């Protein structure tokens, strides 16, 4: 546990003054920060790859967006759908679909919808 705590930024002297719970909290926070950093770096690499490919393409059909090019990186399924565990995003997408449907109905009915 000491090597992991030192890697997380805890000094050797502080380590011996901390409780197991405090050390666990520091390690958990460090783990979450590292996951977020890695996720950010992966997304940055996807954007660089997408736009590099987009501007250097020669008669090649490219996906319309970086999310369509790398769906798994952005929490989508391989087919581009929203994963079930991302229920907030599903809800936003359904609300947008409903709003578009309602707008189309109002346009076709002459404004009464």
């Amino acid at each position: 546990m000491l090597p992991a705590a030192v890697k997380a930024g805890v000094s050797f002297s502080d380590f011996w003054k901390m409780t197991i719970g405090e050390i666990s909290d520091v390690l958990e926070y460090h783990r979450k920060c590292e996951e977020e950093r890695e996720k950010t770096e992966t997304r940055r690499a996807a954007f660089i790859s997408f736009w590099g490919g987009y501007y250097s393409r020669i008669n090649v059909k490219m996906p319309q967006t970086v999310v369509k090019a790398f769906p798994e990186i952005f929490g989508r399924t391989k087919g581009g759908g929203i994963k079930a565990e991302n229920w907030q995003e599903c809800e936003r997408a359904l609300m947008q679909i409903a709003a578009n449907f309602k707008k189309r109905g109002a346009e076709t009915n002459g404004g009464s919808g």
Side-chain angles (χ1 to χ4, degrees):
M1 189 177 256
L2 176 62
V6 170
K7 184 179 178 186
V10 177
S11 70
F12 184 77
S13 61
D14 286 345
F15 176 83
W16 296 109
K17 296 175 189 173
M18 296 170 75
T19 65
I20 295 293
E22 291 171 332
I23 295 168
S24 294
D25 289 345
V26 168
L27 293 177
E28 179 65 18
Y29 176 76
H30 180 69
R31 183 188 63 76
K32 286 181 181 179
C33 288
E34 285 297 310
E35 284 177 1
E36 282 299 313
R37 185 188 60 74
E38 186 175 304
K39 190 177 183 181
T40 300
E41 286 181 7
T42 302
R43 287 182 174 190
R44 184 179 297 132
F47 276 104
I48 291 168
S49 298
F50 177 78
W51 288 110
Y54 185 83
Y55 286 116
S56 64
R57 67 189 172 138
I58 300 174
N59 297 327
V60 177
K61 183 164 172 56
M62 291 279 297
Q64 293 175 342
T65 65
V66 69
V67 175
K68 288 182 180 180
F70 303 101
E72 292 92 4
I73 292 174
F74 295 93
R76 301 292 182 118
T77 62
K78 286 186 180 183
I82 300 169
K83 291 184 179 179
E85 58 266 13
N86 296 341
W87 66 269
Q88 295 96 341
E89 189 175 349
C90 290
E91 183 180 31
R92 281 191 299 275
L94 285 173
M95 295 302 282
Q96 185 62 46
I97 290 168
N100 291 343
F101 181 77
K102 193 173 186 180
K103 182 180 176 185
R104 260 195 326 264
E107 290 171 356
T108 56
N109 292 332
S112 61

